[in-house]
Amino acid sequence: MCGIWALFGSDECLAVQCTNAMKIAHRGPDAFRFENVNGFTNCCFGFHRLAIVDQLYGMQPLRVKKFPYLWLCYNGEIYNHIRLKNQFEFEYQTKVDGEILLHLYDRFGIKKMASMLDGVFAFILLDTANRKVFIGRDTYGVRPLFRLLTDNGFLAVCSEAKGLLDLKTSMSTPAKITPFPPGRFEVFDLKLTGKVESVQMDRFHCCTEEPKHAAYNNLEGLGTGFELETVKSNIRILFEDAVKKRLMAHRRIGCLLSGGLDSSLVAATLVKLAKEEQLPYPIQTFSIGAEDSPDVAAARKVAAHIGSEHHEVNFTPEEGIRALEDVIIHLESYDSTTLRASVGMYLISKYIREKTDSVVIFSGEGSDELTQGYIYFHKAPSPKAAAEDSVRLLKELYLFDVLRADRTTAAHGLELRVPFLDHRFTAYYLSLPEEMRVPKDGVEKHLLREAFKGLKLIPDEILWRRKEAFSDGMTSMKKSWYTSLQEHIESEVNDSQLEKANTRFSFNPPTTKEGFYIRQIFEKHYPDRCVWTPHYWMPRWIKATDPSARTLSIYKPDKDQLSH
């Protein structure tokens, strides 16, 4: 997790522009570097570093003697860099995982380079010899990337949109800032003036296909065919591999633990592998919630079962309300579902940063989208419809859950790792017959639970625990967090304001006071940038007015939680 920022063909003196790079300083608290590109007076890179892999050579833009014409700025982790280095006998100059991008690009070109990377990344690669600029982003957009391109060819790229907002351009209208689409790369011609022209936008990987790099990683024991026992075994092998490769770090590893199925499987697997790999410290797990929240109780049970060093962060609605504006600024989104869940994650990240030395944080993001974990999947009209919605959710992760997970942790200089979104694991899961993946016997994620049944990896009642939305599960059973939030908002927004919401916000008009309140704060900081959230996150196939699982008629409260 770092912050990257670059300008090509700046219309204004770079010294004036570079203050914008400081707006993402939270992403890389260890060091900052700003570097002009020789020969192109109006092109530069800015980099905020969080040192995770190579302590010595980790500063960027990364350049090596062998390729003096290549400049690389990237944010991410390439888990298979050593495997590829050995496979192709590349001679490394550093211990930086990103160096692999330079060698792969030199040997195979940009498309094959991007498709060979197993990891999460956003990159800006400059080739001054061939006068090309390349930008790219991982399959699910786990690492963020925004771009601004003016009609006259000024290109600016940044990890977060806030670093592009106040750039000076020679345009009379504000330049469009857009999130860069995941799973793609873009090629620009770099003119002698430093300006660019986009010449190609291409997809290098699609979530439903096995990634190209799988060919270089022979996993023992993987079976073929769709017999249930084979499938269950494959799920376990691929999931464990996903966690294992993410242990690559020189900094302490911890794990978010909500007490739900997904984070519990991640934490349990992480603790098991940490022992096998003999990490020199116990794994810390972190949960947040009100004292009587169902999540905190469940997380405590899991932590005791797996033997992690467990931390509980107490959450009060007042604290949540106080943090709202900061969270909206970090998120750059006004989606209510995203915001509700972000507040807890933001506060727990703050605790981790201030009270512990864990920097690399594992979490269970992506599982609900992949394994049809949302409660509304019980209402899917057919297995095919459910499978299609699963892919839609995965493709939109970068606008919702993955955006939340990145921004709330990055706000406090932490690096997030999400094993459920491992390319190979997701491609395998999505290749399974549609009927296998739907909820079964009234239990969502049945196949995933079934795969880990009888292993005693996590307690049985957690393995079969029903879905709780994170923003609901961390709050008191007596009164949920969003009810407290809505009561606060009741005093801030009146009925007539909400009635006129359509005229005030013509794009994605809010339909609730909560939505209106959030939108007002968003517009204050990001005026006229509402297109960053193209639509609201809402359940499908049911008449829902609120995204919270607790308000859905198919939600069963605690007494039924443990029935299989």
Side-chain angles (χ1 to χ4, degrees):
M1 198 282 306
C2 301
I4 59 177
W5 183 87
L7 307 183
F8 300 94
S10 172
D11 290 331
E12 171 70 68
C13 158
L14 293 179
V16 173
Q17 303 277 47
C18 76
T19 53
N20 290 286
M22 299 320 287
K23 291 182 187 161
I24 57 161
H26 51 271
R27 296 189 71 87
D30 294 335
F32 172 66
R33 181 163 173 183
F34 187 78
E35 193 166 336
N36 293 0
V37 178
N38 331 343
F40 293 92
T41 50
N42 53 7
C43 299
C44 64
F45 287 92
F47 178 67
H48 294 276
R49 180 166 187 226
L50 179 69
I52 301 284
V53 179
D54 184 339
Q55 305 286 9
L56 184 61
Y57 290 104
M59 271 316 272
Q60 297 182 30
L62 181 66
R63 301 179 68 200
V64 297
K65 285 197 190 78
K66 192 173 181 187
F67 312 117
Y69 48 89
L70 294 183
W71 302 60
L72 171 69
C73 235
Y74 77 103
N75 158 216
E77 300 288 327
I78 313 301
Y79 304 122
N80 63 342
H81 75 107
I82 292 175
R83 179 169 276 124
L84 292 175
K85 172 192 165 186
N86 296 339
Q87 174 74 34
F88 298 111
E89 300 178 342
F90 293 140
E91 280 180 36
Y92 264 35
Q93 228 182 285
T94 72
K95 292 195 181 78
V96 183
D97 53 331
E99 186 178 339
I100 194 69
L101 277 79
L102 303 176
H103 295 274
L104 288 172
Y105 166 71
D106 174 68
R107 184 159 317 172
F108 300 117
I110 191 71
K111 186 168 187 173
K112 188 163 180 190
M113 175 203 98
S115 63
M116 298 281 276
L117 302 175
D118 181 6
V120 292
F121 53 84
F123 67 79
I124 309 158
L125 177 64
L126 164 65
D127 177 346
T128 54
N130 296 294
R131 293 224 308 276
K132 296 277 188 204
V133 176
F134 306 94
I135 58 179
R137 189 176 182 190
D138 66 71
T139 308
Y140 295 114
V142 173
R143 292 291 174 258
L145 193 66
F146 284 82
R147 82 196 247 291
L148 169 157
L149 182 63
T150 64
D151 295 345
N152 68 350
F154 166 36
L155 170 69
V157 189
C158 186
S159 295
E160 297 180 21
K162 51 183 75 65
L164 304 175
L165 277 177
D166 301 320
L167 288 173
K168 305 275 186 292
T169 73
S170 54
M171 313 288 295
S172 51
T173 51
K176 252 174 72 180
I177 296 170
T178 50
F180 190 77
R184 292 179 180 79
F185 66 89
E186 189 169 11
V187 184
F188 301 88
D189 282 340
L190 178 66
K191 302 179 174 156
L192 289 168
T193 57
K195 298 275 193 233
V196 303
E197 182 189 356
S198 175
V199 290
Q200 184 190 356
M201 172 79 107
D202 206 349
R203 179 194 285 283
F204 61 82
H205 177 51
C206 165
C207 59
T208 50
E209 293 161 14
E210 183 169 77
K212 303 248 188 319
H213 52 72
Y216 301 97
N217 180 9
N218 183 21
L219 282 177
E220 274 177 42
L222 279 184
T224 51
F226 296 126
E227 207 226 331
L228 185 60
E229 287 309 312
T230 308
V231 168
K232 282 160 52 176
S233 162
N234 287 350
I235 287 173
R236 291 194 298 270
I237 290 170
L238 287 164
F239 181 68
E240 186 162 309
D241 180 60
V243 175
K244 189 173 186 170
K245 66 177 80 156
R246 284 167 175 74
L247 295 175
M248 178 180 100
H250 287 295
R251 304 289 286 272
R252 185 167 184 166
I253 295 172
C255 189
L256 299 180
L257 179 58
S258 72
L261 173 71
D262 311 324
S263 64
S264 300
L265 285 175
V266 171
T269 307
L270 179 59
V271 168
K272 171 179 171 256
L273 291 171
K275 286 189 186 121
E276 286 172 19
E277 302 280 318
Q278 297 181 326
L279 292 190
Y281 50 80
I283 294 293
Q284 295 178 324
T285 48
F286 304 94
S287 73
I288 184 166
E291 279 171 17
D292 69 332
S293 81
D295 273 5
V296 166
R300 198 177 294 156
K301 214 172 260 175
V302 176
H305 183 89
I306 64 177
S308 61
E309 183 191 300
H310 191 54
H311 296 242
E312 287 178 11
V313 182
N314 197 1
F315 171 82
T316 64
E318 296 71 44
E319 237 184 325
I321 289 161
R322 276 200 305 275
L324 266 183
E325 187 157 356
D326 279 348
V327 174
I328 292 168
I329 293 169
H330 277 287
L331 282 183
E332 302 173 334
S333 164
Y334 53 88
D335 178 61
S336 313
T337 321
T338 303
L339 185 71
R340 281 180 196 170
S342 293
V343 171
M345 206 160 169
Y346 178 84
L347 293 171
I348 200 167
S349 299
K350 181 173 189 280
Y351 170 91
I352 294 171
R353 176 80 193 169
E354 290 172 359
K355 303 278 195 289
T356 78
D357 57 349
S358 285
V359 180
V360 175
I361 305 298
F362 279 63
S363 89
E365 257 72 40
S367 173
D368 286 322
E369 290 75 9
L370 177 67
T371 64
Q372 305 182 14
Y374 293 112
I375 290 185
Y376 75 80
F377 273 98
H378 289 285
K379 296 287 188 188
S382 67
K384 187 177 189 323
E388 283 167 2
D389 207 53
S390 179
V391 171
R392 174 190 71 86
L393 287 169
L394 285 166
K395 287 181 175 168
E396 290 185 352
L397 268 171
Y398 77 105
L399 298 167
F400 302 110
D401 275 23
V402 149
L403 178 144
R404 158 180 63 77
D406 171 80
R407 294 321 156 75
T408 53
T409 48
H412 301 289
L414 303 176
E415 169 165 319
L416 190 81
R417 299 213 171 155
V418 283
F420 273 107
L421 290 177
D422 183 79
H423 297 177
R424 199 164 174 188
F425 180 70
T426 57
Y428 176 73
Y429 208 94
L430 295 172
S431 76
L432 298 172
E434 289 160 356
E435 299 70 37
M436 276 187 115
R437 293 182 273 146
V438 294
K440 197 172 145 204
D441 305 335
V443 180
E444 61 285 343
K445 301 194 248 205
H446 196 277
L447 178 61
L448 181 67
R449 299 172 197 272
E450 187 76 13
F452 288 94
K453 193 169 114 183
L455 300 181
K456 297 280 178 265
L457 189 66
I458 59 175
D460 267 1
E461 67 261 41
I462 304 293
L463 187 62
W464 297 98
R465 185 183 174 206
R466 288 293 301 272
K467 168 77 187 151
E468 264 283 21
F470 175 54
S471 53
D472 297 342
M474 67 178 202
T475 51
S476 163
M477 273 325 246
K478 295 196 267 300
K479 185 173 174 183
S480 93
W481 134 243
Y482 75 85
T483 316
S484 306
L485 175 61
Q486 283 164 341
E487 284 170 7
H488 166 72
I489 288 166
E490 204 53 52
S491 62
E492 302 280 332
V493 179
N494 61 44
D495 294 347
S496 74
Q497 280 176 296
L498 185 60
E499 279 156 29
K500 297 190 197 112
N502 282 16
T503 41
R504 184 167 168 194
F505 306 114
S506 56
F507 183 85
N508 270 348
T511 55
T512 61
K513 287 187 178 177
E514 180 189 10
F516 186 92
Y517 181 72
I518 293 167
R519 183 68 171 268
Q520 267 185 314
I521 299 174
F522 175 86
E523 293 287 344
K524 179 173 110 184
H525 296 280
Y526 304 114
D528 304 322
R529 301 290 182 179
C530 52
V531 293
W532 292 344
T533 303
H535 58 87
Y536 292 107
W537 194 101
M538 281 302 251
R540 289 269 160 118
W541 309 307
I542 40 183
K543 290 189 175 69
T545 50
D546 188 293
S548 164
R550 280 196 188 177
T551 63
L552 302 181
S553 58
I554 46 181
Y555 172 78
K556 302 272 196 296
D558 242 24
K559 62 179 191 307
D560 300 343
Q561 288 251 325
L562 307 181
S563 64
H564 296 6

